[in-house]
């Protein structure tokens, strides 16, 4: 057992996790990175366990990553999406919870377009719940995989300057990353047009900038956020081209960062909107592919930790059919 | 059980602490009602002997005050009887010491024509309980465009005109509503929120909304609307009442307007002097109200506004919502808190905790709203309606939403320890509620 046991039944967000808990997840994830790279290796840790991916919002990347993580640990994984399901037919979140309880699901991964919806569901289901992204609130596994990527490349998180650029206002990725990086002792900056920055952002312990070059000065890590199309066209930003000109990451702006600064993006990217294609594909500096790889390992680590209680309470002999 | 009084035979309330904010009375004595009215009261009344030919009620030295006049409730009838009916709301009102209440026109159908006002009046007579009045829509269908028939509606008994939980957003429409209301000296009531700034918002904008990832409604949406409406009021010379003030700057704007002599009044509701945005915690939808809960600084300013008289009245803002409307993700949840049964104890916290004189607190619940609405209620006087509440101002108890008489239980005050217990509620001389004495 680790020195500091993980105190949470669910993983609903990064806020509230201690540095020791975050480190524990990352340490365990490191081992899974190696396991995954060896290939063919499948653990039996979650054999006989059922994991449901319940996605109320379309996603390929995150859902696949959770699915792989579950399967590599031997769980039976079922994907449920709101498309064409009873959810679309007006079933409430709580009806869904009752249904899932009746099915005896062990682990539930939920993505939902409303902030707080995952918490609401976690209050009502008997399963362990992992937040796969809720509205504009949190996306904890994304922040963990980002942290693992950084830690493996830079050897640490403490003291690094991390600049998060883009639609901070609507981003659950930004919120989770800010919580995590602050907890781990990094220095966080955000850069965005003022319409995409929450007014109280500095209360989260970050430095806010509206000038990319100032925000990127001496940065060790540049994290780009996705800008959704519907936010442009005059509602928050006048146009795509204006956004790219002032807030898109290109080599000229990147010049302000440290020469060995890493470029990250949670995906999917809008090339030519928030990031120049060349920069995104820069083999030496872009770790965007690696983030995806770390995603599976981090989710395996979270599954291992969150199912500890489940596994220790389980009867030693499984009921055979 | 309620007595058989109210049939004309006198009822004597003796050994009472009679408190009447309208006259500043706070005396020990007795009060006698006959039929639906107060016949007499005073320290010397029946001092030596009680009459035999009447019902006698020993008040045990507790406070006998005018029944509460709640100037804003949502009744849900007609249209949403699964949330509340006039009967269940009246039962809740009696249990809360409320003897008169005024409902918003946001029913289905909307109360924007004479038949709507008549419907409420008829149902109020049928339930024979707490007196029920209504406001009528300021604009047809609450759509904020064409004016409703204010003259005819006022004749039928509508106490004022408002689009309820929606602001009269367009400045030109607000100007015309205020201007036209002068013909009948009618009261216009505004929900002070600039709609385009509030659009899509789920809670107060600030650090908490940012952390929760919820779209915010800036305090400025309220301040701007209040300041705009005060300008329009000055232009038109009408009578304006600003509902549920929730912000520090809003209170200050009204304070300045009153100093300038404008005919403006305002109220607030218990959530705004009891809770703050941080009570939302992990997305507690029972704390979702409109206007949203604000910061600690705003709450302090609301309390200061109550203390210095800037805020005239306290309304319950009773807004029943069923489980379906609240057990959903926060942004999708409906607004509102049931308030009739917690109005008195939560308001008494202003006395117990914030040291406001008891008379001042009671005034905001009785004679002040009655005066704004020009109702001959909310006072203890010879010949006044015998609408009374007997309560123990100090008795501690714990709110238990399960036991509410209201059909809906959406209260963020559930399990909260409070002080001040209603012992008896009397409407038109009849006891409608009597606490089981523990």
């Amino acid at each position: 057992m680790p020195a500091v046991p993980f105190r949470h039944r669910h993983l609903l967000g990064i806020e509230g996790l201690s540095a020791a808990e975050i480190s524990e997840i990352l340490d365990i994830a490191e081992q899974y990175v190696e396991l995954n790279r060896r290939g063919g290796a499948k653990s039996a840790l979650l054999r006989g366990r059922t994991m449901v991916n319940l996605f109320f919002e379309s996603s390929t990347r995150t859902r696949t990553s959770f699915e792989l993580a579950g399967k590599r640990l031997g769980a039976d994984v079922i994907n449920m999406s709101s498309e064409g399901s009873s959810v679309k037919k007006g079933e409430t979140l709580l009806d869904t919870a009752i249904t899932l309880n009746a099915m005896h699901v062990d682990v539930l991964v939920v993505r939902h377009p409303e902030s707080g919806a995952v918490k609401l569901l976690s209050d009502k289901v008997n399963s362990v719940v992992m937040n796969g992204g809720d509205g504009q609130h949190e996306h904890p596994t994304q922040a963990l995989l980002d942290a693992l990527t950084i830690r493996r490349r830079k050897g640490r998180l403490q003291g690094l300057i991390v600049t998060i650029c883009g639609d901070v206002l609507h981003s659950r990725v930004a919120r989770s990353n800010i919580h995590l990086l602050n907890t781990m002792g990094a220095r966080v900056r955000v850069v965005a047009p003022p319409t995409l920055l929450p007014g109280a952002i500095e209360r989260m312990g970050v430095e806010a900038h509206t000038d990319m070059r100032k925000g990127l000065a001496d940065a060790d890590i540049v994290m780009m956020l996705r800008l959704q199309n519907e936010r442009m066209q005059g509602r928050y930003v006048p146009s795509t081209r204006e956004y790219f000109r002032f807030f898109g990451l290109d080599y000229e702006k990147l010049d302000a960062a440290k020469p060995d600064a890493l470029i990250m993006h949670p995906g999917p990217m809008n090339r030519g909107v928030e990031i120049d294609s060349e920069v995104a594909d820069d083999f030496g500096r872009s770790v965007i592919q690696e983030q995806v790889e770390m995603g599976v390992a981090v989710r395996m680590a979270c599954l291992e930790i969150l199912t500890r209680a489940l596994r220790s309470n389980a009867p030693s002999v499984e009921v055979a059919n | 059980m309620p007595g058989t009084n109210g049939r004309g035979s006198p009822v004597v309330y003796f050994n009472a602490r009679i408190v009447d904010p309208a006259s500043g009375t706070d005396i020990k004595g007795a009060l006698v009602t006959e039929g639906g009215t107060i016949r007499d009261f005073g320290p010397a009344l029946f001092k030596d002997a009680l009459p035999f030919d009447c019902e006698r009620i020993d008040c045990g030295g507790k406070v006998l005050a005018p029944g509460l006049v709640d100037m804003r409730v949502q009744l849900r009838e007609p249209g949403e009887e699964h949330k509340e009916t006039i009967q269940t709301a009246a039962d809740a009102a009696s249990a809360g010491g409320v003897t008169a209440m005024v409902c918003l026109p946001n029913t289905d159908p909307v109360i924007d024509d004479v038949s709507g006002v008549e419907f409420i009046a008829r149902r109020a007579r049928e339930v024979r309980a707490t007196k029920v009045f209504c406001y009528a829509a300021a604009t047809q269908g609450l759509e904020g465009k064409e004016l409703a028939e204010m003259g005819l509606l006022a004749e039928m008994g509508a106490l004022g005109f408002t689009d309820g939980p929606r602001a009269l957003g367009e400045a030109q429409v607000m100007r015309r509503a205020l201007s036209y209301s002068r013909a009948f000296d009618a009261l216009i009531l505004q929900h002070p929120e600039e709609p385009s700034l509030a659009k899509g918002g789920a809670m107060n904008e600030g650090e908490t909304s940012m952390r929760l990832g919820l779209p915010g409604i800036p305090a400025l949406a309220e301040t701007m609307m209040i300041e705009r409406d005060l300008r329009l009021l000055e232009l038109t010379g009408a009578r304006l009442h600003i509902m549920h003030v929730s912000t520090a700057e809003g209170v200050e704007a009204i304070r300045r307007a009153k100093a300038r002599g404008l005919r403006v009044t305002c109220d607030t509701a218990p959530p705004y002097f009891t809770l703050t945005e941080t009570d939302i915690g992990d997305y507690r939808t029972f704390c979702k109200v409109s206007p949203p809960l604000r910061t600690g600084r705003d709450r302090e300013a609301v309390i200061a506004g109550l203390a210095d008289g800037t805020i005239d009245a306290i309304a319950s803002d009773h807004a029943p919502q069923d489980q379906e409307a609240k057990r959903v993700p926060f942004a999708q949840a409906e607004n509102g808190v049931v308030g009739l049964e917690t109005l008195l104890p939560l308001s008494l916290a202003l006395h117990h905790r914030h040291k406001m004189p008891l008379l001042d607190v009671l005034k905001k619940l009785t004679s002040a709203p009655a005066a704004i609405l020009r109702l001959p209620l909310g006072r203890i006087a010879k010949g006044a309606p015998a609408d009374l509440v007997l309560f123990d101002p100090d008795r501690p108890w714990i709110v238990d939403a399960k036991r509410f008489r209201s059909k809906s239980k959406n209260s963020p005050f559930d399990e909260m320890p409070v002080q001040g217990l209603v012992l008896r509620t009397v409407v038109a001389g009849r006891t409608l509620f009597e606490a089981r004495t523990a």
Side-chain angles (χ1 to χ4, degrees), chain A residues 73-87:
Chain A
L73 292 176
D76 298 319
V77 185
I78 294 158
N79 291 319
M80 289 169 67
S81 73
S82 57
E83 300 299 319
S85 75
S86 54
V87 175

Side-chain angles (χ1 to χ4, degrees), chain B residues 16 123 131 138 141 164 168 200 253-254 303 317 324 326-327 380 412:
Chain B
R123 291 288 291 126
K131 293 170 180 169
L168 279 157
I254 295 164
I303 293 167
D317 245 350
E324 292 287 288
K326 284 290 192 184
R327 302 260 191 240
I380 290 179

Side-chain angles (χ1 to χ4, degrees), chain B residues 58-251:
Chain B
D58 184 350
C59 296
K62 304 306 181 197
V63 173
L64 185 64
L68 311 188
V69 178
D70 187 347
M71 68 182 303
R72 191 172 52 261
V73 299
Q74 298 184 40
L75 287 188
R76 309 290 185 226
E77 181 183 343
E80 289 183 287
E81 288 86 351
H82 58 290
K83 293 182 178 177
E84 191 86 291
T85 63
I86 291 176
Q87 181 68 61
T88 56
D91 292 345
S94 303
V98 174
T99 55
M101 58 184 173
V102 193
C103 70
L104 291 180
N106 63 328
T107 45
D108 181 16
V110 165
I111 304 172
D112 65 352
D113 64 8
V114 168
S115 63
V117 180
E118 274 183 323
F119 173 82
I120 298 292
R122 178 170 60 76
R123 291 288 291 126
R125 281 194 305 275
E126 283 168 9
V127 300
R128 298 202 322 130
T130 293
K131 293 170 180 169
V132 184
F133 303 91
C134 73
Y135 301 116
T139 67
Q140 294 170 34
L142 306 179
E143 282 172 2
K145 295 185 185 113
E146 279 106 38
L147 298 182
E149 297 166 321
M150 285 188 202
L152 294 173
L153 289 160
E155 252 178 21
M156 282 310 298
L159 294 184
F161 299 89
T162 178
D163 277 1
R166 282 188 212 168
L168 279 157
E170 241 181 84
Q172 182 67 282
V173 175
M174 185 61 171
R175 177 188 174 177
R176 292 207 177 112
L178 285 166
S179 179
Y180 188 73
S181 71
R182 286 183 54 215
F184 314 100
D185 201 18
L187 183 68
I188 300 289
L189 301 98
Q190 171 74 307
H191 172 73
E193 192 168 75
E194 208 291 312
S196 72
L197 280 175
K199 195 177 169 192
M203 65 171 293
N204 185 46
E205 181 180 292
E207 187 180 353
T208 310
S209 70
M210 176 186 62
R211 283 179 185 276
L212 292 173
L214 290 170
I217 300 171
L220 183 70
E222 176 171 306
T223 321
M224 267 179 73
M225 197 54 131
I226 290 175
E227 287 181 340
R228 182 202 79 175
D229 287 345
L230 291 170
R231 299 269 173 182
L232 294 171
L233 178 65
E234 201 160 16
L235 179 74
T236 55
R239 284 205 296 140
L240 174 66
H241 180 82
I242 298 166
M243 305 193 285
H244 39 221
V245 179
S246 69
T247 62
E249 280 73 20
V251 173

Side-chain angles (χ1 to χ4, degrees), chain A:
Chain A
M1 286 295 281
V4 188
F6 197 80
R7 302 162 302 162
H8 312 273
R9 176 169 148 73
H10 307 295
L11 180 67
L12 300 179
I14 298 293
E15 192 171 17
L17 295 190
S18 66
E21 286 166 334
I22 291 166
S23 296
E24 189 196 348
I25 298 172
L26 299 182
D27 292 344
I28 293 174
E30 291 275 8
Q31 299 164 24
Y32 282 117
V33 174
E34 300 314 314
L35 185 81
N36 289 339
R37 282 188 178 170
R38 281 204 297 277
K42 191 171 164 178
S43 154
L45 195 73
L46 295 184
R47 195 167 58 196
R49 302 285 172 193
T50 310
M51 169 173 157
V52 170
N53 286 329
L54 183 58
F55 277 57
F56 295 90
E57 215 179 53
S58 62
S59 153
T60 312
R61 184 182 302 249
T62 305
R63 203 208 63 214
T64 310
S65 181
F66 271 109
E67 186 175 350
L68 267 177
K71 285 186 168 160
R72 284 189 183 157
L73 292 176
D76 298 319
V77 185
I78 294 158
N79 291 319
M80 289 169 67
S81 73
S82 57
E83 300 299 319
S85 75
S86 54
V87 175
K88 267 277 159 67
K89 293 170 198 154
E91 185 181 86
T92 68
L93 213 47
L94 297 186
D95 292 332
T96 307
I98 292 164
T99 309
L100 290 165
N101 283 341
M103 292 175 178
H104 304 289
V105 173
D106 298 299
V107 181
L108 186 63
V109 178
V110 188
R111 168 169 287 194
H112 198 284
E114 292 287 349
S115 303
V118 179
K119 158 74 181 158
L120 178 68
L121 203 52
S122 77
D123 288 338
K124 304 292 167 187
V125 295
N126 303 325
S127 335
V128 163
V129 175
M130 291 174 75
N131 184 354
D134 67 319
Q136 299 164 9
H137 177 224
E138 283 229 44
H139 190 356
T141 55
Q142 178 69 44
L144 288 162
L145 73 88
D146 288 341
L148 183 62
T149 309
I150 298 169
R151 206 178 74 165
R152 284 171 61 91
R153 285 291 189 121
K154 297 286 182 192
R156 66 196 163 103
L157 293 164
Q158 172 101 35
L160 295 179
I161 299 177
V162 182
T163 303
I164 302 173
C165 309
D167 187 358
V168 177
L169 182 65
H170 299 101
S171 178
R172 55 195 175 211
V173 175
R175 281 173 182 73
S176 287
N177 264 309
I178 291 169
H179 289 307
L180 187 146
L181 292 164
N182 277 334
T183 305
M184 301 309 285
R187 284 178 55 195
V188 186
R189 295 184 193 150
V190 292
V191 187
T195 46
L196 293 175
L197 273 180
I201 189 69
E202 282 172 338
R203 301 291 294 274
M204 284 185 85
V206 304
E207 233 179 79
H209 293 271
T210 53
D211 180 331
M212 274 286 261
R213 292 192 63 90
K214 283 183 188 156
L216 288 176
D218 295 318
D220 295 286
I221 309 291
V222 184
M223 263 184 200
M224 300 308 296
L225 298 173
R226 175 179 165 77
L227 181 65
Q228 288 176 14
N229 273 320
E230 63 265 27
R231 313 270 188 234
M232 281 171 286
Q233 299 144 6
R235 287 202 54 200
Y236 291 89
V237 171
S239 70
T240 307
R241 66 176 181 194
E242 175 150 322
Y243 186 80
F244 184 70
R245 167 76 178 75
F246 293 97
F247 299 97
L249 186 67
D250 54 20
Y251 279 117
E252 194 205 323
K253 297 185 195 94
L254 185 59
D255 204 36
K258 288 215 178 91
D260 62 347
L262 299 180
I263 298 157
M264 306 179 75
H265 193 296
M269 282 183 280
N270 292 309
R271 290 167 185 268
V273 178
E274 70 259 358
I275 190 162
D276 184 78
S277 234
E278 257 188 287
V279 177
D281 298 332
D282 186 328
F283 190 72
R285 311 180 73 176
S286 165
V287 292
I288 296 170
Q289 304 260 348
E290 207 171 308
Q291 286 174 272
V292 179
E293 185 192 357
M294 294 307 123
V296 179
V298 148
R299 287 168 182 129
M300 289 170 84
C302 293
L303 282 168
E304 181 189 319
I305 291 169
L306 291 169
T307 56
R308 263 181 203 149
L310 202 69
R311 285 180 281 117
S312 65
N313 294 337
S316 52
V317 182
E318 302 258 332
V319 179
N321 283 318

